[in-house]
């Protein structure tokens, strides 16, 4: 009898369910162990819900920013604001869409032939004589089942980090998984943390109508991102009325009846109606038997992996936020697929993070790919950069877009594109041509020669490539 390869996947987020699809299609006997529903935090409490909320905020911002300039009239033009939002209705839609997406993923995984178990998975410490691994699954009703696997994929994700003196209560002090339970718009929202999550929610609630204070412990918002892009966003935030508090670290947050009191390290105290804590994430790597099974953890508690998703333990792989590689659903999915291709003997390319495109869903959006401005400034790569403001673009003028730019990086001798930044509405859609260029070693000359639609925002991609190509020719 031919042996069937048994795969057990702990965690049903993008890393887990994409791995399940690959393994099942390649003939593996696949079991996915998941507690909350397939899709994981990405679908249920993070990417899908937040971007659905942001979609409503985006409509509000676009309308507020441009309707008068475009000649649109709505009701009493003297009113303070032409349109409003029903947050309870918005959040009900958010939850409905997230649940529907989770159900669609579950249907796809089960159709592919995988088994889905609701429960908590724990890796047993010892490897079998045949190289197999055992996973103990504790179901929601408390019963246990032991699964034998030829390979295990850990895709357990992460959860919001908490500050000891600022514990969320789910009502006034919130983490990013709890905001969708609000029925009314926060009158005064304090957002602690100016990274991607904090910036996205601060911008969204400002657009929806909250008075927002953004507490940043660093010199600027988005400290890890392109400095030109961060400067544009911070300027937009301030111009729209947001109180951005730089170099201000929150020490504690306390609830006082229907208010919250935020105390900073320097002793300053201020209040709001709600506080959103966005101070990073912690990997879900404790209590599942990893170290006992020989799975090495980093100092931050993440699972160490190589570029084909192997951990330090034989036949154990890992993918997604629990690895700390790149907290993106697309990267988690690639890690999961790579793990299964590798274990099942398919051809696989090592993970290359310099081809990963990422997007921050603020307004304007910030999309990046490849090498960054800091890589150039700090000498990690020799490259030339050209930045072109969108203000010169005819389509941007037509749509009332004033903020944003396109920036490309290329090698000085060959003109090969090694990275780029787009700051604009729907930058997540505009970054793809640059991603293709980076992934395929295209040159600025090749991008410059490709036709673009006139007028279009993508025309700026070709224009900035032409400027780089002209500069390269002049330097030759």
């Amino acid at each position: 009898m031919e042996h069937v390869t048994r795969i057990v996947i702990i965690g049903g987020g993008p890393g887990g369910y994409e791995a399940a699809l690959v393994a099942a299609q390649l003939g593996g006997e696949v079991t996915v162990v998941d507690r909350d529903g397939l899709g994981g935090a990405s679908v249920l409490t993070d990417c899908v819900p937040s971007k659905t909320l942001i979609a409503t905020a985006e409509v509000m911002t676009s309308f507020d920013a441009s309707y008068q300039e475009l000649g649109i009239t709505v009701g009493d033009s003297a009113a303070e604001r032409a349109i409003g939002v029903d947050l309870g209705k918005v959040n009900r839609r958010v939850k409905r869409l997230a649940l529907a997406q989770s159900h669609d993923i579950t249907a796809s995984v089960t159709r592919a032939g995988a088994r889905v178990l609701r429960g908590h998975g724990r890796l047993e410490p010892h490897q079998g004589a045949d190289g197999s691994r055992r996973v103990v699954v504790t179901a929601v009703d408390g019963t246990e089942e032991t699964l034998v696997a030829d390979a295990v994929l850990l895709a357990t994700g992460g959860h919001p980090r908490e500050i000891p003196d600022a514990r969320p209560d789910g009502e006034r002090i919130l983490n990013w998984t709890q905001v969708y339970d609000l029925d009314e718009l926060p009158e005064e929202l304090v957002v602690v943390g100016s990274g991607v999550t904090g910036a996205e929610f601060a911008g969204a609630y400002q657009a929806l109508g909250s008075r927002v204070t953004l507490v940043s412990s660093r010199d600027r918002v988005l400290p890890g991102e392109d400095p030109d892009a961060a400067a544009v966003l911070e300027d937009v935030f301030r111009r729209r009325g947001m109180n951005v508090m730089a170099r201000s670290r929150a020490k504690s947050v306390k609830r006082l009846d229907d208010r919250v009191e935020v105390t900073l390290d320097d002793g300053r105290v201020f209040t709001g109606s709600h506080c959103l804590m966005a101070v990073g994430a912690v990997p879900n790597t404790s209590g599942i038997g990893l170290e006992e099974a020989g799975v090495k953890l980093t100092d931050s508690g993440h699972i160490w992996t190589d570029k084909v998703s192997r951990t330090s333990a034989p036949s154990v792989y890992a993918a997604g936020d629990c690895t700390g590689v790149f907290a993106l659903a697309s990267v988690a999915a690639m890690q999961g697929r790579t793990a299964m291709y590798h274990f099942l003997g398919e051809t696989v390319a090592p993970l290359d993070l310099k081809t990963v495109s990422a997007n921050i869903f603020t307004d304007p959006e910030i999309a990046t790919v490849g090498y960054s401005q800091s890589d150039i400034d700090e000498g990690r790569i020799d490259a030339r950069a050209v930045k072109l403001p969108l203000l010169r673009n005819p389509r941007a003028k037509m749509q009332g877009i004033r903020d944003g730019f396109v920036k490309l990086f290329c090698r000085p001798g060959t003109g090969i594109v090694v990275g780029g930044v787009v700051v604009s509405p729907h930058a997540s859609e505009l970054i793809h041509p640059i991603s293709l260029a980076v992934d395929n070693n295209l040159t600025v000359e090749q991008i410059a020669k490709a036709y673009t639609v006139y007028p279009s925002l993508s025309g700026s991609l070709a224009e900035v490539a032409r400027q780089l190509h002209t500069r390269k020719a002049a330097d030759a």
Side-chain angles (χ1 to χ4, degrees):
M1 182 177 177
E2 185 180 349
H3 174 71
V4 177
T5 304
R6 300 159 298 184
I7 308 289
V8 174
I9 299 168
I10 304 177
Y17 75 73
E18 287 285 351
L21 291 171
V22 166
Q25 289 160 2
L26 292 176
E29 182 183 283
V30 182
T31 302
V32 182
V33 181
D34 185 80
R35 282 184 308 186
D36 304 316
L38 294 198
S42 175
V43 169
L44 295 170
T45 60
D46 194 353
C47 294
V48 170
S50 64
K51 278 50 176 180
T52 305
L53 176 77
I54 288 167
T56 299
E58 183 182 72
V59 173
M60 300 282 285
T61 303
S62 299
F63 195 82
D64 278 348
S66 61
Y67 79 96
Q68 289 179 321
E69 180 180 337
L70 298 180
I72 299 171
T73 58
V74 178
D76 182 6
S77 60
E80 185 176 340
R81 195 175 198 196
I83 53 176
V85 66
D86 181 338
L87 188 65
K89 189 173 183 179
V90 170
N91 281 339
R92 287 190 292 274
R93 178 175 182 263
V94 165
K95 292 179 180 179
R96 187 174 66 251
L97 290 179
L99 196 59
Q101 183 68 10
S102 179
H103 287 163
D104 287 346
I105 292 167
T106 303
S108 296
V109 169
T110 53
R111 264 199 314 271
R115 178 190 180 202
V116 178
L117 283 181
R118 286 292 294 272
H120 177 270
R122 184 178 75 254
L123 194 60
E124 286 287 87
H126 302 298
Q127 190 175 8
D130 59 351
S132 63
R133 293 279 178 174
R134 292 181 182 272
V135 175
V136 177
V137 180
T138 304
V140 289
D141 62 2
T143 59
E144 287 192 350
E145 178 179 351
T146 300
L147 306 175
V148 180
D150 298 299
V152 175
L153 174 70
L154 305 166
T156 50
H159 61 275
R161 187 170 77 87
E162 293 184 358
I163 296 175
D165 291 328
R167 303 283 187 190
D169 63 8
E171 294 179 354
R172 293 284 171 175
I173 305 173
L174 310 158
N175 63 39
W176 70 75
T177 71
Q178 298 169 330
V179 294
Y180 311 109
D181 293 326
L182 293 174
D183 287 325
E184 295 183 359
L185 190 68
E187 184 179 345
E188 300 168 275
L189 178 66
V190 181
V191 179
V192 177
S194 63
V196 174
T197 301
E200 287 185 344
F201 277 111
Y205 278 101
Q206 180 81 18
L208 294 174
S210 297
R211 293 195 297 277
V212 176
T213 296
L214 180 59
V215 179
S216 172
S217 62
R218 307 288 284 276
D219 290 341
R220 57 179 173 85
V221 300
L222 299 175
E225 302 299 322
D226 181 271
D228 292 331
V232 168
L233 186 65
E234 185 166 334
D235 179 63
V236 169
F237 277 174
R238 293 182 188 277
R239 202 169 65 231
R240 290 174 181 168
M242 188 182 298
N243 178 22
V244 180
M245 301 180 65
R247 297 178 295 280
S248 302
R249 186 178 296 274
K251 180 180 180 182
S252 68
V253 182
K254 297 178 181 178
R255 180 171 176 178
L256 304 173
D257 296 324
D258 60 351
R259 304 286 293 173
V260 294
E261 182 181 84
V262 180
T263 302
L264 303 182
D265 271 353
D266 61 10
R268 284 179 293 168
V269 178
F270 59 97
T271 66
S273 63
H274 297 76
C275 179
L276 171 61
M277 301 300 298
V279 288
V282 178
N284 295 328
T285 53
S286 62
I288 55 176
L290 300 188
E291 291 177 292
E292 297 85 348
V295 177
K296 179 183 175 182
L297 300 181
T298 66
D299 292 342
S300 60
H302 293 90
I303 300 170
W304 176 88
T305 56
D306 65 11
K307 291 187 180 297
V308 291
S309 303
R310 288 178 296 191
T311 71
S312 57
S315 69
V316 179
Y317 293 76
D321 289 3
C322 64
T323 68
V325 170
F326 227 151
L328 294 172
S330 57
V331 173
M334 184 64 76
Q335 287 178 291
R337 289 191 294 262
T338 297
M340 294 300 98
Y341 284 135
H342 182 268
F343 182 76
L344 295 169
E346 297 291 312
T347 303
V348 62
L351 187 68
D352 182 3
L353 296 180
K354 284 305 175 186
T355 63
V356 174
S357 57
N359 192 70
I360 302 170
F361 289 85
T362 47
D363 184 25
E365 293 181 4
I366 299 172
T368 57
V369 66
Y371 284 91
S372 66
Q373 185 71 58
S374 65
D375 289 327
I376 298 172
D377 295 343
E378 295 168 19
R380 286 186 287 272
I381 187 172
D382 183 15
R384 298 189 183 279
V386 166
K387 183 178 74 170
L388 184 67
L390 279 184
L391 196 60
R392 304 179 191 175
N393 181 288
R395 186 68 183 273
K397 289 185 175 73
M398 296 170 192
Q399 295 181 317
I401 299 170
R402 295 184 177 84
D403 303 294
F405 60 83
V406 174
K407 185 194 291 188
L408 275 184
F409 310 123
C410 78
R411 297 287 279 167
T414 60
I416 290 174
V417 177
V418 294
V421 182
V422 179
V423 181
S424 80
H426 306 295
S428 50
E429 312 296 342
L430 288 171
I431 197 67
H432 191 233
I434 306 178
S435 296
L436 289 172
V438 170
D439 199 38
N440 292 281
N441 296 316
L442 301 184
T443 67
V444 288
E445 181 180 9
Q446 288 172 306
I447 295 177
K449 286 183 176 179
Y451 281 99
T452 57
V453 171
Y454 183 87
S456 69
L457 295 182
S458 60
S460 289
L461 301 180
E463 176 60 28
V464 76
R466 278 191 289 273
Q467 289 191 19
L468 269 172
H469 178 55
T470 302
R471 181 174 297 184
K472 182 178 82 72
D475 293 342

